[in-house]
Amino acid sequence: MVRAALVTATSLALTGAVVAHAYLLKHQFYPTVVYLTKSSPSMAVLYIQAFVLVFLLGKFMRKVFFGQLRAAEMEHLIERSWYAVTETCLAFTVFRDDFSPRFVALFTLLLFLKCFHWLAEDRVDFMERSPNISWVFHMRVLSLLGLLGVMDFLFVNHACHSIISRGASVQLVFGFEYAILLTMILTTLIKYVLHTVDLQSENPWDNKAVYMLYTELFTGAAALNGSRF
């Protein structure tokens, strides 16, 4: 907690100093913005500030939707993050000419949302091993799945419109990434429903494993076909 506060305060101080220095040089808003965007050291400081803000937003959302993360969830999150960064960077090499601050922002947002998709999946899987599920758990899971599903749909829609109007670009990769995340949300939601029905029944539901298998086969095939395409 102290470390996060120290990093936040330091980044805010650096950002304030950079912006103040640029304004003292240019004395007007627009020239100040141009100076900041053209200066590599200034952009580096602004990038750091943006990443700190994303980190703080992530901590806030984690607190709201998950509370305290379990050790297994943290371990899975770290493992998947390294794999996702490597895999996505390789995919983006095709569109390396589109590299820009906007691209960095979109890539960071994609990784940010992926983390919450993975955490939601792990938390729903935890239902099968937990006999006591509170109403707060249900509210958190449903709210998070709804929020992530809406955002995935909006980004897929944005990517489609961008490709139709401007042709093939880096939005092609982003569109497929969010489409895969949308199938993950669908899978997680179906698992949540199956686990909830099983928890409400007095006797063990023998057919749940069959429905789980069908769900994973269907959504896995859809995601695989989308990524290959």
Side-chain angles (χ1 to χ4, degrees):
M1 187 69 179
V2 176
R3 186 184 304 174
L6 181 61
V7 171
T8 303
T10 303
S11 64
L12 286 173
L14 288 174
T15 303
V18 166
V19 173
H21 173 71
Y23 187 78
L24 289 175
L25 288 177
K26 301 300 180 180
H27 302 290
Q28 291 182 358
F29 176 76
Y30 182 73
T32 300
V33 173
V34 173
Y35 174 82
L36 290 173
T37 56
K38 298 297 183 181
S39 173
S40 297
S42 300
M43 287 301 298
V45 172
L46 294 178
Y47 277 138
I48 293 173
Q49 179 64 66
F51 285 130
V52 169
L53 293 177
V54 170
F55 174 75
L56 293 176
L57 177 61
K59 287 179 69 69
F60 174 75
M61 291 183 63
R62 186 213 69 188
K63 193 70 175 178
V64 171
F65 291 110
F66 297 101
Q68 187 67 31
L69 293 181
R70 296 177 294 114
E73 291 173 339
M74 283 297 300
E75 183 179 352
H76 292 165
L77 181 62
I78 295 173
E79 291 177 355
R80 288 173 167 178
S81 296
W82 283 112
Y83 176 76
V85 169
T86 304
E87 182 186 47
T88 309
C89 287
L90 289 175
F92 282 136
T93 55
V94 180
F95 302 100
R96 56 185 176 273
D97 294 336
D98 294 336
F99 188 83
S100 63
R102 183 172 181 268
F103 168 83
V104 175
L106 290 174
F107 177 77
T108 304
L109 180 60
L110 174 63
L111 184 61
F112 178 81
L113 292 177
K114 274 188 173 184
C115 290
F116 282 94
H117 282 75
W118 298 328
L119 290 174
E121 185 180 34
D122 284 344
R123 187 55 59 95
V124 169
D125 289 338
F126 178 69
M127 292 177 65
E128 193 172 14
R129 301 185 296 273
S130 178
N132 298 320
I133 301 296
S134 65
W135 66 270
V136 177
F137 180 94
H138 292 286
M139 289 293 295
R140 283 174 166 175
V141 169
L142 291 175
S143 300
L144 180 61
L145 292 180
L147 177 62
L148 293 177
V150 169
M151 295 192 70
D152 291 340
F153 176 78
L154 291 177
F155 280 115
V156 170
N157 188 53
H158 171 72
C160 290
H161 283 294
S162 178
I163 294 170
I164 292 173
S165 60
R166 302 177 185 176
S169 65
V170 71
Q171 287 295 333
L172 184 65
V173 180
F174 281 117
F176 280 119
E177 287 286 345
Y178 282 110
I180 293 173
L181 291 180
L182 195 56
T183 62
M184 184 185 296
I185 287 295
L186 178 61
T187 304
T188 306
L189 181 60
I190 295 175
K191 287 182 178 180
Y192 167 79
V193 173
L194 294 176
H195 289 320
T196 302
V197 172
D198 188 26
L199 289 173
Q200 297 298 325
S201 61
E202 297 180 357
N203 299 319
W205 187 19
D206 296 332
N207 291 330
K208 187 181 77 169
V210 178
Y211 288 115
M212 294 276 288
L213 178 61
Y214 287 154
T215 299
E216 292 181 356
L217 286 175
F218 175 75
T219 55
L224 181 61
N225 290 332
S227 61
R228 284 182 175 179
F229 180 77

